[in-house]
Amino acid sequence: MAEDCLFCKIVRGDISAQKVYEDDDVLAFRDINPEAPTHVLLIPKRHLPRVTDATAEDAVLLGKMLLGANAVAEREGIAANGVRYVFNTNQDAGQIIFHAHMHILGGRPMGWPPG
Ligand code: AMP
Ligand code: ZN
């Protein structure tokens, strides 16, 4: 846990969030500023600044994040039509919050390449 990290505060319950999925290791909640009809953020409960900071010890955690995202996509009804999983990592990719998070986006056609 990082004292001043916004997403750690959500994990602790110090800041409220609209939770859509949770297990022992990961938490998913709605993005406060949605960029698509479904826009959910999925995070490890443990503070990990960037997904690129993961090590071999995090292999199970990373798998749980993907399985959790699949569960969210299924529950949100976007799995069949199309869903996009995104990790923005560091400055050029637009990472603003340095607690690794997967964006789960769906509910509309998506452009490619991303901006
Ligand atoms: P990123 O640019 O990848 O770091 O994305 C950070 C995301 O966190 C943005 O899409 C924000 O809208 C979202 N966000 C910021 N604060 C909150 C919050 N309190 N609850 C839910 N989502 C948030
Ligand atoms: Zn954190």
Side-chain angles (χ1 to χ4, degrees):
M1 289 290 169
E3 200 59 41
D4 291 332
C5 169
L6 179 66
F7 287 173
C8 283
K9 287 181 182 172
I10 288 175
V11 171
R12 287 198 297 267
D14 295 347
I15 290 177
S16 65
Q18 253 187 290
K19 296 180 186 178
V20 298
Y21 177 87
E22 182 169 18
D23 66 23
D24 286 347
D25 300 305
V26 307
L27 173 65
F29 51 90
R30 296 199 188 282
D31 195 293
I32 206 168
N33 183 26
E35 299 287 359
T38 293
H39 188 173
V40 170
L41 301 177
L42 187 140
I43 65 172
K45 289 186 172 178
R46 183 169 74 73
H47 183 77
L48 179 72
R50 309 160 189 81
V51 72
T52 50
D53 294 321
T55 68
E57 290 181 3
D58 298 312
V60 171
L61 177 64
L62 295 174
K64 284 188 165 188
M65 290 182 72
L66 275 172
L67 292 172
N70 290 349
V72 169
E74 203 57 56
R75 282 183 194 184
E76 295 289 317
I78 57 174
N81 275 358
V83 60
R84 185 170 288 176
Y85 300 156
V86 175
F87 285 96
N88 295 325
T89 301
N90 282 338
Q91 187 176 321
D92 281 359
Q95 185 176 10
I96 291 168
I97 298 186
F98 283 82
H99 180 131
H101 50 280
M102 187 196 306
H103 294 259
I104 302 167
L105 297 145
R108 65 166 170 80
M110 306 269 165
W112 191 264

